[in-house]
Amino acid sequence: MSGTFADLAAQFPPLEAARADGLLCAGGDLQPARLLAAYSLGIFPWYEEGLPILWWSPDPRCVLPLEDFCLPSRSARALRRRPFELTLDAAFGEVIRACAGLRANGHGTWLTPEMIAAYERLHALGYAHSVEAWREGALVGGLYGVALGRAFFGESMFHRESEASRAALAGLVALLRLRGAVVLDCQQETPHIMRMGGVMLPRAAFRERLARALAAEGWREEREAREPDALRREIRAVPWAPWKTGYSYSAINGSWIARS
């Protein structure tokens, strides 16, 4: 069923209806506006090939407070000795397929071709982003997720060289701090995230933090940018503008520089 952004958001059940494992409902589709409506409510899709689309809202929710992020000391030393080259949105398709490949080992194949295509559409619209870690021209790690307002919903990461995914995450944190983000959602608890400052928030606390992130007015120059009619039809009046600013990363001072 299609409809406006508000219509699509209203089709989801109340989050309190979720099962103890976080499963909220099943069905629907992965059109861009529905995906963004889900994320704006704190809901995300996660399912395997052959199943209907499953929508989740775990309680508690794993988040990584930007002010508390801290690399393990061994990782920090390794990255100072041999920093990676970091980029933003330089190889989104490669990153998401690398993440999918890591899960084709019997431990859950949730990144189905349908899911990959859906996130690539979001990327083309400016709502899904990747941070890549490179070594001598080769992609050796990275992550991707969805940006909405001042929230970033991390989806997955991978590495082919030790510390590459941590380097990409450190780069993402630096970028989100620059953009004034207030939420870095990690969805589910992992030892990897918890060692770097992750916390588990009750649903009510997560929703309050998400509401602040989505109420922010910032980045008006992006919101006021004129979009092609075809793009407007794709996102059906989503109230949060996509990222338009590009960034280049300086390994010398660990910061991102905005570029047109």
Side-chain angles (χ1 to χ4, degrees):
M1 180 184 294
S2 62
T4 68
F5 182 84
D7 292 337
L8 293 169
Q11 291 171 14
F12 287 99
L15 301 192
E16 293 73 19
R19 298 188 328 195
D21 62 0
L23 179 61
L24 178 65
C25 60
D29 55 47
L30 297 175
Q31 64 167 291
R34 190 186 303 277
L35 272 173
L36 296 179
Y39 279 104
S40 75
L41 297 171
I43 302 166
F44 59 88
W46 186 30
Y47 66 103
E48 297 186 14
E49 193 83 56
L51 294 177
I53 300 171
L54 304 179
W55 301 92
W56 301 79
S57 175
D59 185 16
R61 186 73 162 246
C62 184
V63 302
L64 182 54
L66 299 176
E67 64 275 15
D68 295 334
F69 173 74
C70 182
L71 284 169
S73 56
R74 179 179 297 180
S75 297
R77 289 195 299 270
L79 293 177
R80 283 195 297 270
R81 286 196 304 268
R82 281 194 83 204
F84 295 90
E85 178 189 354
L86 298 185
T87 55
L88 176 70
D89 291 336
F92 184 90
E94 292 180 64
V95 168
I96 194 170
R97 284 168 176 77
C99 291
L102 291 178
R103 283 155 179 77
N105 57 5
H107 297 295
T109 54
W110 62 274
L111 271 173
T112 64
E114 183 184 24
M115 288 277 279
I116 291 173
Y119 285 103
E120 288 189 314
R121 287 195 297 273
L122 282 187
H123 174 64
L125 292 167
Y127 288 99
H129 301 276
S130 58
V131 175
E132 301 88 15
W134 306 83
R135 179 79 75 200
E136 297 178 355
L139 181 66
V140 294
L143 58 82
Y144 79 97
V146 174
L148 204 57
R150 293 201 298 165
F152 191 91
F153 304 87
E155 282 295 323
S156 189
M157 60 176 62
F158 82 99
H159 70 273
R160 295 170 180 155
E161 182 176 322
S162 179
E163 307 298 347
S165 62
R166 286 194 178 95
L169 181 58
L172 174 65
V173 169
L175 178 59
L176 294 179
R177 287 171 175 167
L178 174 64
R179 291 185 60 89
V182 296
V183 170
L184 174 49
D185 175 37
C186 302
Q187 298 179 348
Q188 300 192 45
E189 178 181 6
T190 68
H192 181 71
I193 292 297
M194 300 306 284
R195 282 196 295 270
M196 291 183 286
V199 298
M200 302 300 291
L201 289 184
R203 178 180 287 130
F206 173 75
R207 292 182 71 178
E208 186 277 332
R209 189 171 296 198
L210 180 58
R212 285 193 289 117
L214 299 184
E217 277 295 320
W219 303 93
R220 181 172 299 277
E221 73 280 3
E222 295 181 2
R223 182 172 288 107
E224 292 178 348
R226 293 173 60 87
E227 302 290 358
D229 289 343
L231 178 55
R232 290 293 186 196
R233 287 194 294 272
E234 273 287 302
I235 59 178
R236 293 196 177 93
V238 172
W240 300 281
W243 287 7
K244 291 298 179 186
T245 306
Y247 298 88
S248 57
Y249 185 77
S250 170
I252 296 175
N253 54 19
S255 63
W256 294 87
I257 302 169
R259 54 178 173 77
S260 59

